[in-house]
Amino acid sequence: MAGKSQKPGRVLVRRLAWGAGAVFVLWALVEGGEYGTTDLLAQREEKAQLEADLGLLRDTVAALDATLKQVSTDDFTMERIAREEHGLVKSEKELLYWIDDPSQKARADSVRADSTTTD
């Protein structure tokens, strides 16, 4: 028996197995490994986002440097920031203090209630 003839069903199964193996090998070449195609695409997107964030941070640093330079060279700007953000008051001005004391608040509420009932 020099040559065996194979059944058509076996030939089809063998071809399908080789085809599936070839598809798996191609998939492993494209997607397999530590840095597959989808990983590389995700890293590109992350890199673009990080570069955009870096640009915003550089703009913020430039603005803060400009503010620092302005504050260190301009006394009026320094005084304005001290007044607005830290409550600095010049010595010739009158000070008003707001105290959040619960007992004083209760007294103030009772005074308001008394004044509304007498009107």
Side-chain angles (χ1 to χ4, degrees), residues 97-110:
Y97 289 102
W98 298 97
I99 300 173
D100 288 336
D101 186 10
S103 62
Q104 288 182 353
K105 184 176 182 185
R107 271 188 257 133
D109 290 341
S110 66

Side-chain angles (χ1 to χ4, degrees), residues 27-44:
W27 174 81
L29 288 173
V30 171
E31 193 56 44
E34 188 174 350
Y35 297 106
T37 305
T38 54
D39 291 332
L40 292 175
L41 294 174
Q43 286 179 4
R44 283 185 189 164

Side-chain angles (χ1 to χ4, degrees), residues 3 11 24-26 28 34 38 47 52 76 80 107 109 111 114:
V11 172
F24 176 76
V25 168
L26 288 174
E34 188 174 350
T38 54
K47 179 183 175 187
F76 177 75
R80 179 185 57 81
R107 271 188 257 133
D109 290 341
V111 169
D114 291 341

